[in-house]
Amino acid sequence: MEVLLAEQPLVVSLMLGTLGGGLIFGWLQTGKKEAAAAGLVAFALIPLAWLIASRWETDREQIRTLIYEIANAVEENDHDTAVEVIGDPQTRSRARQELANWTFHLARVNKIRSIDVIEGTFPLEADVDMSVKVDVSQNRGSLRDVRVPRRLILKFEKATDQWVVTDYRHMPIAGGPDQFSMPPSQTR
């Protein structure tokens, strides 16, 4: 219900509108004022659903916001900010080492395929599967201004009230790992 209220206000509004319309129709057919009052209450709850949705940030929305912030930091070649959200020291070191090899001209999130918050874990964990597009040049190599679409799989953990990345791996959009892919860290 939390996800429906916070992330799908249009669906909630349509349900409330249908309920309200049905109750008003029932009042018109029977003349019972209680049905009209309940229908008006249902219609009055529609703006409340939008207000709740605008103020309530779910875990998935927090993760989505964090993903776009990281992409902006990578595009600006601000590696310190990009790795700041990595909670695991080994994974942070690996990311810092990998980012140092490249100069980014573009880093965009193409599509977030899934954000799966794993209920019942402590601390709370989430898995993200997404595709990104980067324009990069190799700092010490022959690759210059190459557009590379990649599939990126991130593992998040909620430490206190903040989400942090605990592991990541990237690979081609289709198929298995290639020469640029790194295996996931063995910290888990």
Side-chain angles (χ1 to χ4, degrees):
M1 186 63 156
E2 165 188 329
V3 171
L4 188 63
L5 274 175
E7 294 182 6
Q8 302 292 329
L10 182 60
V11 172
V12 173
S13 297
L14 290 172
M15 291 187 321
L16 287 170
T18 302
L19 177 64
L23 289 167
I24 295 295
F25 181 75
W27 166 65
L28 291 173
Q29 296 300 312
T30 64
K32 294 189 177 186
K33 293 180 182 176
E34 295 84 9
L40 292 175
V41 167
F43 284 129
L45 288 175
I46 292 173
L48 183 63
W50 286 95
L51 181 66
I52 289 171
S54 69
R55 298 198 187 270
W56 189 353
E57 188 176 37
T58 65
D59 288 325
R60 288 200 309 220
E61 290 170 330
Q62 289 174 5
I63 291 170
R64 181 176 282 117
T65 300
L66 189 57
I67 287 169
Y68 285 104
E69 288 173 3
I70 294 169
N72 286 338
V74 169
E75 183 172 335
E76 294 170 3
N77 292 295
D78 184 359
H79 300 167
D80 291 333
T81 301
V83 300
E84 184 178 283
V85 299
I86 300 176
D88 179 62
Q90 288 177 330
T91 304
R92 180 181 291 159
S93 174
R94 182 179 63 149
R96 214 181 276 281
Q97 179 183 21
E98 192 173 352
L99 287 171
N101 294 328
W102 304 96
T103 299
F104 292 85
H105 310 290
L106 173 80
R108 292 280 186 261
V109 176
N110 280 346
K111 180 179 181 183
I112 298 176
R113 297 176 184 184
S114 65
I115 299 176
D116 297 321
V117 177
I118 305 166
E119 299 296 331
T121 56
F122 184 78
L124 196 57
E125 296 177 358
D127 293 330
V128 176
D129 186 356
M130 58 192 266
S131 61
V132 297
K133 163 178 60 178
V134 294
D135 289 351
V136 296
S137 294
Q138 202 170 21
N139 289 340
R140 291 181 266 310
S142 60
L143 293 176
R144 296 281 176 235
D145 298 324
V146 178
R147 175 157 291 175
V148 184
R150 301 294 282 176
R151 180 177 178 200
L152 188 58
I153 298 173
L154 302 169
K155 292 205 173 286
F156 283 87
E157 193 174 277
K158 194 167 191 178
T160 61
D161 282 339
Q162 299 291 329
W163 283 97
V164 295
V165 176
T166 57
D167 199 10
Y168 73 94
R169 56 190 169 117
H170 59 83
M171 61 191 75
I173 294 290
D178 60 7
Q179 72 270 20
F180 298 109
S181 301
M182 293 183 82
S185 67
Q186 304 301 326
T187 60
R188 302 191 96 186

